Amino acid sequence: MSFELTDEQQLTRSSVREFAEADVAPIAAEIDREHRPPLDIVPKLGELGLLGMLVPEEYGGVGMDTVSYCIAIEELSRVCASTAVLVEAHSSLCTWPIVHYGTEEQKQAYLPDLASGAKIGAFGLTEPNAGSDAGNTATTAVRDGDEFILNGQKIFITNGGFADVFVIMARSTDAPGTHGVSAFIVDRDTPGFTIGEPEHKMGIRGSSTVPLFFSDARIPAANLLGQEGKGFNLAMATLDGGRTGIAAQAVGIAQGAFEAAVAYAKERVQFGKPIASLQAIQWMIADMATEIEAGRLLVYQAADLEWRHEPFATHSAMAKLFCAEMATRVAGKAIQIHGGVGYTEAYPVERAYRDAKITEIYEGTNEIQRLVVSRAFLR
């Protein structure tokens, strides 16, 4: 494959970087400190097409190729992981399954508003007893005429505090294990559907993470997404693509920390010269740059395979696995290069280190990614 970006992909990088530097970077520390989602810039995200990147043009989206999408997530993550995950969860986890599994009526009803930013999307799979074991879903959906009645709970739902549209997994049949799970589109104002208090997290503090509760919440049967009983397959396919987005997020976090470390190493003087002249620092810089580039290529490979409709699940798991751990290492070295001040909020590398850690956990822990990759070779 060619590793050279197209003119359109290069334009995506430059335009998203310009927006991120001008509109996102100035508020990144503030939204982290205040645990406040960046809702003020959602209209601009919609205007620029960043909320409709995976939505076809006929439904008001951009219809962007997957590599360009990952480039955009990377550039947002470079300055603010919280903003990036708002876009990533909205796009990969909510709009993507509606695009690929929705009926024409569902697409017409939901995608234009999701693409424009008039509505924000979220995805609900995780439960108190169904984390990595997603097949253990306990939330139920019982058919009652032209409706399904949902009861249960979801936890750790990204964008949940302000989202308008949710893709929710619930058990709708008595089939054992993963076979009885179905997917539903749930509107925020559904009676019996309530949203809990936000979690207080170590990182991505500007991202809303909440529990969801369903108490006899009635959902139109027309909001069944895909085939009944096939929701687990839908969820896994959704997460395959989402993992590539998380890998891109990890690359962006690492890139931002790396650039901050290089700049600091050039300006910080010790023993009469910039610390960048010290071999110990030079070797850290070399390792960081090499790992970031390796991760970026893994992301682009997985994204390119997905865009060409070739098998990509193993590659997306590899990318997520490597890039997540790489981002934590790079951010840690960036703090080390900064020394004591790197451990304070005065410099962005402290935030990068906290933000990087979650990429090893959400959308499938790295332990699960190792299972996915190993099984591909041990079948």
Side-chain angles (χ1 to χ4, degrees):
M1 63 175 285
S2 171
F3 296 104
E4 183 177 355
L5 298 181
T6 66
D7 291 344
E8 183 177 347
Q9 290 165 344
Q10 291 172 341
L11 178 61
T12 295
R13 184 181 296 284
S14 61
S15 61
V16 177
R17 177 170 292 199
E18 181 180 353
F19 163 71
E21 292 283 2
D23 292 63
V24 182
I27 64 171
E30 178 184 332
I31 65 173
D32 174 78
R33 185 169 54 250
E34 298 180 0
H35 296 236
R36 174 173 57 83
L39 298 182
D40 292 346
I41 63 171
V42 165
K44 188 67 176 291
L45 290 169
E47 177 186 334
L48 293 174
L50 294 176
L51 296 174
M53 290 186 282
L54 301 183
V55 177
E57 292 182 10
E58 58 263 37
Y59 302 108
V62 178
M64 185 177 286
D65 71 272
T66 317
V67 173
S68 294
Y69 168 71
C70 288
I71 289 170
I73 295 298
E74 178 188 338
E75 289 299 327
L76 291 173
S77 303
R78 176 177 159 269
V79 300
C80 180
S82 292
T83 300
V85 76
L86 184 159
V87 175
E88 200 272 340
H90 167 90
S91 301
S92 293
L93 302 184
C94 184
T95 64
W96 189 92
I98 296 175
V99 168
H100 289 269
Y101 293 91
T103 64
E104 184 60 29
E105 291 77 12
Q106 290 169 343
K107 293 176 183 179
Q108 294 286 354
Y110 288 101
L111 291 179
D113 282 346
L114 289 169
S116 70
K119 292 183 178 180
I120 295 296
F123 177 84
L125 174 63
T126 302
E127 297 181 2
N129 293 311
S132 294
D133 183 12
N136 199 33
T137 296
T139 297
T140 59
V142 177
R143 185 71 179 251
D144 183 24
D146 292 333
E147 296 177 317
F148 283 91
I149 303 174
L150 268 63
N151 282 284
Q153 176 185 358
K154 299 292 179 179
I155 59 172
F156 303 144
I157 306 305
T158 302
N159 291 354
F162 54 82
D164 307 283
V165 179
F166 298 76
V167 173
I168 299 294
M169 303 299 145
R171 188 169 297 281
S172 65
T173 76
D174 293 331
T178 63
H179 301 291
V181 177
S182 299
F184 299 89
I185 303 174
V186 179
D187 294 296
R188 184 185 184 89
D189 59 2
T190 299
F193 173 37
T194 57
I195 296 168
E197 292 299 310
E199 301 287 348
H200 294 278
K201 308 186 297 296
M202 181 177 89
I204 55 166
R205 291 176 175 174
S207 172
S208 168
T209 307
V210 301
L212 310 177
F213 302 95
F214 301 91
S215 179
D216 292 335
R218 289 184 170 270
I219 311 300
N223 281 27
L224 174 68
L225 183 61
Q227 294 179 268
E228 185 171 2
K230 299 293 185 180
F232 184 81
N233 295 346
L234 179 153
M236 294 302 102
T238 300
L239 291 175
D240 283 341
R243 286 165 182 161
T244 311
I246 295 302
Q249 181 188 355
V251 170
I253 293 170
Q255 184 67 39
F258 172 75
E259 292 175 7
V262 169
Y264 187 82
K266 289 179 178 179
E267 68 183 34
R268 174 64 169 167
V269 174
Q270 290 287 274
F271 308 106
K273 56 186 177 183
I275 63 172
S277 65
L278 302 174
Q279 188 180 69
I281 301 298
Q282 292 170 356
W283 283 17
M284 279 195 277
I285 295 293
D287 289 344
M288 293 159 77
T290 301
E291 287 203 76
I292 291 170
E293 191 62 19
R296 183 175 286 119
L297 293 174
L298 278 171
V299 171
Y300 291 176
Q301 181 186 39
D304 182 65
L305 287 171
E306 180 180 2
W307 182 247
R308 291 190 284 112
H309 304 290
E310 296 188 18
F312 71 96
T314 302
H315 291 84
S316 68
M318 287 178 174
K320 201 269 193 187
L321 168 62
F322 179 84
C323 293
E325 295 181 357
M326 174 275 291
T328 304
R329 287 192 296 269
V330 167
K333 288 178 180 177
I335 290 177
Q336 196 71 20
I337 289 171
H338 281 72
V341 298
Y343 200 68
T344 72
E345 293 184 355
Y347 287 82
V349 292
E350 174 268 346
R351 171 163 46 88
Y353 189 68
R354 290 187 287 105
D355 288 344
K357 184 59 185 177
I358 190 59
T359 65
E360 297 183 45
I361 299 171
Y362 61 10
E363 295 201 32
T365 65
N366 275 16
E367 288 69 32
I368 291 295
Q369 305 317 308
R370 285 182 164 87
L371 285 176
V372 171
V373 173
S374 64
R375 286 172 179 172
F377 295 97
L378 295 174
R379 287 194 186 101

